[in-house]
Amino acid sequence: MSEEELLSLSRAVEARVLPQLRSEFHHWRPVDYTPYMCAQYVANRFPEDYAVLTRVFSEIRDRLPDFAPTSLLDFGSGVATVSFAANAVFPDSLKEYYCVDVSPDMNNTAKELIDNGTNGEEPLLSKAYFRQHFPASHERKYDLVCSAHSLLELPTSKDRLTMLRSLWQKTARFLVLVELGNFAGYQLVMEARDHLLGLDKLGKKLRRREELDTSLEEGHVFAPCPHDLVCPRQAGAASGGVTCHFPVAFQPLPFMTLRNTPRITSRFSYLVLEKTDEQRTTEEQQWPRVVESVLKRHHCGICRVCCADGHLKEVLVTRQKHGSSIYQTVRTARWGDRVPLTMVPKTEPELQVSVSQEKRKKSST
């Protein structure tokens, strides 16, 4: 083909292919919030996000009653939903709320909500500070550092991991990440989890010195996983399987739906990392977590749990075999609860066969 024919063919291909690519592939661009969009965000997202964050913070409080955070850093604070939820769970200890959001309109909306129409005389949150840029210094640390539905707004994976390292360096005790319970949100949470735990794409610990980020302090998963191993659903999710997410029910505002719906269920993925040198190894800390709805059958309960050994297991509990208390606990457990079960590894089938054969030989002799 001549050069003119090649050029003509190339233009014909571009004319047919490029419009289809533009229509099917998302081109990232930052969201520029206006005061009207901020009001829409409050009306549509605040109840759902507040329910999710309250549940996550409540788990930290319930498992560690002595934990009394005094400071909170919220990256991508929006309308200060994280601050309101944290204040509801830790009302007596939290004294400082440091909110970072690039949108001045979002910050102004959050200030109006906190002021509650009192002209600064009786704000709902005391000592709430708003900034448009993340603090550059890592000397000041916060007991709670949170990023809720914010990391996905960064354009690239490199930008997300850079911000994630900054958040971890600002953390004194707990780092909380919350995203939507869809595939994108789950993948982002797994990306953050693997990076901060030093896991490679196969879920193995990075051992070569050049692969490890030595500036990161050691931490361990506090929730939802009872282990620091690779998520057992990570490989399946990449091939279109089920992601690890949890439901939460919330009361919508009257104008959020045209139907008379008393409660709406939302799904979310989350990660709570604790900055500590040693992983919690007590029996209670390693309780398995229910990752699907419990199936209630006649005289038995079947639940799928994520265990401390990094595997998903299906547990069948009966009153006769396991006792009334465990039976009732499993049947009443909700998706996302931790259940007080100690998982005993099964004996290998080959070993069972060999033992039974030896018994038969002894009995025959």
Side-chain angles (χ1 to χ4, degrees):
M1 298 178 65
S2 64
E3 294 183 1
E4 294 182 356
E5 291 176 338
L6 288 175
L7 182 60
S8 177
L9 178 61
S10 176
R11 290 176 178 176
V13 171
E14 291 180 358
R16 296 187 61 181
V17 174
L18 291 182
Q20 185 175 357
L21 290 177
R22 294 191 184 99
S23 63
E24 295 184 1
F25 287 87
H26 174 70
H27 294 275
W28 181 90
R29 63 176 181 178
V31 180
D32 295 326
Y33 287 96
T34 63
Y36 178 71
M37 293 178 64
C38 294
Q40 286 183 314
Y41 192 93
V42 173
N44 290 279
R45 293 296 308 175
F46 188 92
E48 178 179 349
D49 294 346
Y50 181 84
V52 170
L53 292 163
T54 302
R55 174 171 172 175
V56 174
F57 291 142
S58 296
E59 180 175 354
I60 299 176
R61 177 200 60 193
D62 296 341
R63 292 174 59 182
L64 299 176
D66 296 333
F67 176 61
T70 59
S71 57
L72 167 72
L73 170 63
D74 181 14
F75 171 71
S77 55
V79 295
T81 314
V82 171
S83 298
F84 281 112
N87 180 71
V89 178
F90 305 103
D92 300 326
S93 61
L94 274 176
K95 305 299 181 185
E96 180 185 1
Y97 308 86
Y98 195 99
C99 304
V100 179
D101 198 291
V102 297
S103 172
D105 290 322
M106 276 289 192
N107 290 334
N108 292 334
T109 303
K111 292 177 183 178
E112 293 177 2
L113 292 176
I114 293 175
D115 183 69
N116 198 27
T118 61
N119 295 323
E121 296 180 1
E122 296 181 3
L124 299 178
L125 301 176
S126 60
K127 294 186 178 180
Y129 306 100
F130 292 87
R131 299 291 186 271
Q132 287 185 259
H133 302 286
F134 194 83
S137 174
H138 298 305
E139 296 180 0
R140 176 72 168 92
K141 297 183 182 296
Y142 298 82
D143 297 328
L144 274 176
V145 177
C146 184
S147 172
H149 311 294
S150 299
L151 291 177
L152 270 179
E153 297 185 6
L154 299 178
T156 65
S157 175
K158 181 179 179 181
D159 293 332
R160 289 195 297 270
L161 295 181
T162 300
M163 178 53 63
L164 187 66
R165 287 192 291 269
S166 298
L167 292 173
W168 185 242
Q169 290 171 342
K170 300 289 289 184
T171 302
R173 185 68 182 277
F174 286 106
L175 171 63
V176 179
L177 304 177
V178 178
E179 294 293 339
L180 296 176
N182 55 17
F183 178 76
Y186 169 74
Q187 286 293 94
L188 187 145
V189 171
M190 290 300 100
E191 178 184 62
R193 184 182 185 275
D194 293 346
H195 182 71
L196 292 180
L197 293 180
L199 301 177
D200 61 12
K201 293 182 180 180
L202 298 177
K204 298 180 180 179
K205 279 284 187 180
L206 297 175
R207 299 185 181 277
R208 295 197 298 270
R209 181 172 299 179
E210 61 270 15
E211 293 179 330
L212 291 170
D213 191 341
T214 56
S215 64
L216 297 178
E217 299 179 68
E218 187 174 359
H220 298 279
V221 177
F222 181 82
C225 320
H227 57 83
D228 287 346
L229 306 173
V230 65
C231 176
R233 281 185 165 166
Q234 195 165 356
S239 59
V242 180
T243 62
C244 186
H245 59 270
F246 302 92
V248 62
F250 66 97
Q251 178 69 44
L253 297 177
F255 47 82
M256 284 183 63
T257 175
L258 298 177
R259 298 175 296 175
N260 186 18
T261 306
R263 297 176 74 84
I264 297 178
T265 300
S266 173
R267 301 187 187 278
F268 67 98
S269 296
Y270 76 106
L271 174 68
V272 181
L273 286 174
E274 183 179 11
K275 185 171 285 189
T276 176
D277 295 335
E278 298 181 358
Q279 185 179 9
R280 298 177 181 272
T281 56
T282 62
E283 182 179 345
E284 179 181 352
Q285 298 297 333
Q286 294 185 335
W287 283 351
R289 187 179 298 271
V290 180
V291 295
E292 291 181 9
S293 298
V294 177
L295 299 178
K296 300 177 183 179
R297 297 294 183 262
H298 188 59
H299 297 309
C300 73
I302 305 173
C303 64
R304 174 165 289 189
V305 295
C306 182
C307 303
D309 60 0
H311 293 88
L312 292 177
K313 298 179 181 179
E314 285 191 354
V315 181
L316 189 150
V317 178
T318 63
R319 190 193 304 271
Q320 182 178 4
K321 184 177 181 180
H322 302 92
S324 179
S325 59
I326 295 296
Y327 173 74
Q328 292 296 334
T329 299
V330 170
R331 284 182 65 93
T332 57
R334 298 179 302 171
W335 188 348
D337 289 348
R338 297 163 64 242
V339 287
L341 300 176
T342 301
M343 309 303 296
V344 179
K346 294 183 179 180
T347 309
E348 294 294 334
E350 294 79 5
L351 183 60
Q352 292 180 351
V353 172
S354 62
V355 172
S356 62
Q357 288 177 349
E358 287 185 3
K359 289 183 177 179
R360 290 178 182 177
K361 291 179 181 179
K362 291 180 180 180
S363 61
S364 62
T365 55

